[in-house]
Amino acid sequence: MTARLRSLLGEHRVLHLPTVWDGMSARLAAEAGWPALLTTGLGIAATLGLPDLELYTATDNLQAVTRIADAVDVPVIADMDNGYGGPVNVHRTTTLFEHAGVEAVVLEDQRSPKTCPFYEGATVELESVGPAANKVRAAAEARRSDLLVIARTDASDPAEIRERATAYAAAGADLVMPNAPGPDFGLDDWAALRSSVGVPLVACVMPGSRAEREWDDDTLADAGISVVVDAIYGLLAAAHATRQVFTRMREDGLRATELPPLMAHHELGEAMGDGAVHALQKRYLT
C-alpha cells in the first residue's frame, strides 16, 4: 500500500502535506487535490476540547486516524505522538496504526508528559538518545507492510539534532523530521544533516514562520528537504471562522449577523460523500 507514498516522494521534488484532524477535514483536503495527508495530534486534541498536552489516549488517536483513513483514498500519515510508552508499547501501537490503513507513522522523541513545542513558553523534555532510538527500532520492526517510519525530533540545538537524526536513521527510520529547530539551524545545517543521515528530511512550516516567508521549494530541495508539512493552517482557519460566526450570531442575532461566505448545504453533502451512499441506496433499496 505504501508504494503510493514512496512513489509520491519520487514524483515531487518537495512533497507538501496538509494536516487534517477528522474525516471532514480529510475529505476537503483530498477534494482540493492534496496527494497525501498528515494527521495532527493538536487537531485531534482540539476535537475533544483538550489542549495538546498528552491528555488524549492512544485509543482516542487511533479512532480519529481510522476515521480519517476510511474517509479518503489518498495516503494518510499518522502522528503517533511518542508511541504511548516504551519500545514494546511502540511496537504494538505501530501495528494498530498500520492495521488502520495508514501508510506512514510519525514517532517523536519527547518524554511524557509531552507538550506542543510551539506553545509560547513551552519546555520540552526529550528521551535520551538511546531509548528514543530503540523506540524507532521497535516501530520499524513492527511493520508488516511497506509502512514508512518518520522519526521526529523536537531537539532545537543543531548538534543535538544531528546526533539524534543520525541515531534514528541508523535504527531504521525512513525519514527524519527536525520538528522545532532553533533559529541557528539554517539551510546549511539542513543540507549537512541530509548528507550525514542519508535519509530524506521532513520540515514543518508553521503560520508566520521564517520558512513560510522566505523559503520556496527550490530552496528547500537544495537544502535536502524532501517533505514539507504545512501545519495546522486549516485548523486555525476553521477555528477562527467558527468562533466569529458563533460570536456574531449570539451578539447580534441571526438576522442581523453579517456572516462570512457559507458552503451551500448540498455542497457539504457532496463533500461528505452522499452521492456514493445515494447510489448504493438506489441499487439495493429500489
Side-chain angles (χ1 to χ4, degrees), residues 151-173:
R152 164 182 149 179
T153 178
D154 283 359
S156 59
D157 175 71
E160 186 177 7
I161 290 173
R162 286 192 292 272
E163 177 188 12
R164 288 177 175 274
T166 301
Y168 301 162

Side-chain angles (χ1 to χ4, degrees), residues 115-137:
T115 186
C116 175
F118 301 110
Y119 279 159
E120 187 174 355
T123 300
V124 174
E125 294 187 11
L126 304 181
E127 294 267 14
S128 299
V129 176
N134 277 337
K135 291 168 73 169
V136 173
R137 181 174 292 108

Side-chain angles (χ1 to χ4, degrees), residues 50-250:
L50 298 172
D52 189 19
L53 293 172
E54 202 176 8
L55 296 176
Y56 66 82
T57 66
T59 300
D60 292 327
N61 191 8
L62 181 62
Q63 288 174 341
V65 167
T66 300
R67 288 191 288 267
I68 290 168
D70 284 345
V72 295
D73 292 325
V74 299
V76 173
I77 302 166
D79 178 355
M80 205 170 68
D81 295 318
N82 60 5
Y84 308 101
V88 175
N89 303 84
V90 170
H91 191 284
R92 180 170 184 267
T93 302
T94 302
T95 300
L96 293 173
F97 275 73
E98 184 177 36
H99 288 168
V102 304
E103 302 199 13
V105 294
V106 180
L107 178 66
E108 64 189 70
D109 57 2
Q110 279 198 45
R111 180 182 300 163
S112 293
K114 70 183 198 67
T115 186
C116 175
F118 301 110
Y119 279 159
E120 187 174 355
T123 300
V124 174
E125 294 187 11
L126 304 181
E127 294 267 14
S128 299
V129 176
N134 277 337
K135 291 168 73 169
V136 173
R137 181 174 292 108
E141 293 179 354
R143 53 192 169 185
R144 295 295 178 265
S145 68
D146 199 23
L147 184 83
L148 297 177
V149 174
I150 302 172
R152 164 182 149 179
T153 178
D154 283 359
S156 59
D157 175 71
E160 186 177 7
I161 290 173
R162 286 192 292 272
E163 177 188 12
R164 288 177 175 274
T166 301
Y168 301 162
D174 300 287
L175 301 94
V176 173
M177 179 180 179
N179 186 56
D184 295 333
F185 200 82
L187 292 171
D188 290 342
D189 294 293
W190 282 98
L193 182 66
R194 177 65 177 90
S195 178
S196 63
V197 301
V199 299
L201 301 181
V202 182
C204 181
V205 175
M206 296 290 289
S209 66
R210 177 185 178 188
E212 177 194 55
R213 296 191 308 269
E214 300 178 10
W215 296 355
D216 59 20
D217 279 5
D218 288 337
T219 301
L220 293 165
D222 290 343
I225 297 169
S226 300
V227 179
V228 171
V229 178
D230 297 321
I232 68 172
Y233 285 84
L235 177 64
L236 295 178
H240 178 72
T242 302
R243 170 188 274 176
Q244 280 195 324
V245 168
F246 284 160
T247 300
R248 290 175 182 174
M249 288 170 60
R250 177 61 180 161

Side-chain angles (χ1 to χ4, degrees), residues 273-286:
D274 64 2
V277 175
H278 287 157
L280 288 175
Q281 289 175 332
K282 183 176 181 180
R283 178 177 180 180
Y284 295 124
L285 300 179
T286 59

